[in-house]
């Protein structure tokens, strides 16, 4: 392939490398139930959109596939699959779907922000054999931000609400209280976006510090 594939975690277009998913990380990490639901939409949208795009590209080829507006077409496919995911989730639990309505609608934008269209174009000579590689790359990107989202919510929700929640029931989530509010630390600041940014900045600094220390020994 003429276009070098980027690392799913540290590439400039990856959620971790370019911080493209910071907004989604802040909004959906307040509750673990939201993080799990949005993580599911990431796998659904990234996987199905990339598979549909590469399949259409391999069937239609360059003669019938639009030369201009391929990015817009990929965005439309991602938006369609996000709408299908939201509809299915709405049928299962309307309240839970309403809680993650905005984050799920943002998922197609993060999906379209990747370099997937350029990768498919660069592999047009051997598109059939590269369908698996292209789809696996996008799923790896979805996995990277999904893992970060769930792990960050595991830390943020206990600090914010003294509990952990899981998607389910007609109320939208099942909440498990870990300790009584005020019995540990007055950490309610992490419920708002400013507190989440402070917490995220702390972990980014720790990550950069240990990454630099590890690099010194190589």
């Amino acid at each position: 392939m003429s276009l070098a594939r980027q690392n799913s975690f540290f590439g400039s277009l990856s959620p971790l490398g370019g911080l493209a998913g910071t907004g989604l990380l802040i909004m959906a990490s307040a509750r673990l139930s939201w993080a799990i639901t949005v993580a599911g939409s990431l796998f659904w949208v990234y996987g199905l959109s990339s598979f549909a795009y590469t399949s259409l590209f391999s069937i239609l080829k360059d003669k019938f596939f639009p030369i201009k507006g391929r990015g817009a077409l990929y965005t439309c496919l991602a938006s369609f699959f996000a709408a299908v995911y939201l509809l299915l989730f709405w049928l299962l639990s309307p309240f839970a779907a309403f809680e993650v309505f905005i984050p799920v609608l943002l998922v197609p934008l993060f999906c379209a922000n990747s370099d997937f269209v350029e990768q498919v174009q660069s592999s047009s000579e051997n598109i059939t054999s590269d369908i698996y590689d292209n789809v696996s790359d996008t799923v790896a990107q979805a996995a990277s931000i999904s893992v970060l989202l769930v792990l960050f919510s595991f830390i943020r929700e206990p600090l914010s609400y003294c509990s952990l929640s899981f998607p389910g029931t007609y109320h939208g989530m099942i909440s498990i209280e870990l300790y009584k509010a005020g019995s540990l630390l007055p950490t309610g600041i992490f419920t708002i976006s400013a507190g989440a940014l402070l917490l995220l900045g702390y972990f980014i600094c720790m990550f950069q510090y240990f990454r630099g220390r590890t690099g010194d020994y190589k």
Side-chain angles (χ1 to χ4, degrees), residues 70-90:
R70 291 179 177 178
L73 176 60
Y74 185 58
T75 305
C76 291
L77 287 174
S79 301
F80 170 75
F81 287 115
V84 172
Y85 179 87
L86 193 60
L87 176 61
L88 294 176
F89 201 70
W90 184 279

Side-chain angles (χ1 to χ4, degrees), residues 45-60 65 73-74 77-78 80-81 116 131 135:
V45 173
Y46 273 68
L48 292 180
S49 299
S50 58
F51 179 77
Y53 185 89
T54 50
S55 298
L56 289 173
F57 190 84
S58 62
I59 294 173
L60 299 178
F65 209 72
L73 176 60
Y74 185 58
L77 287 174
F80 170 75
F81 287 115
F116 176 75
I131 288 180
V135 174

Side-chain angles (χ1 to χ4, degrees), residues 26 152 156 188-201:
I26 294 299
F152 190 55
R156 183 184 173 190
I189 186 177
F190 297 119
T191 60
I192 60 178
S193 299
L197 284 172
L198 289 174
L199 188 63
L200 181 62

Side-chain angles (χ1 to χ4, degrees), residues 13 16 40 42 46 67 86-87 95 101 128 137 170 178 181 203:
L13 294 177
L16 183 60
L42 285 166
Y46 273 68
I67 298 178
L86 193 60
L87 176 61
F95 284 104
F101 185 78
T128 302
D137 282 348
Y170 62 92
L178 300 179
F203 285 113

Side-chain angles (χ1 to χ4, degrees), residues 165-179:
S165 59
F166 299 90
T169 76
Y170 62 92
H171 292 295
M173 66 175 68
I174 301 173
S175 182
I176 302 175
E177 185 178 0
L178 300 179
Y179 55 90

Side-chain angles (χ1 to χ4, degrees), residues 29-31 152-163 179 181-182 185-192 195-196 199:
S29 63
R31 294 282 191 176
F152 190 55
S153 65
F154 259 113
I155 301 172
R156 183 184 173 190
E157 185 177 5
L159 292 177
S160 302
Y161 300 99
C162 311
S163 63
Y179 55 90
L185 290 173
T187 52
I189 186 177
F190 297 119
T191 60
I192 60 178
L199 188 63

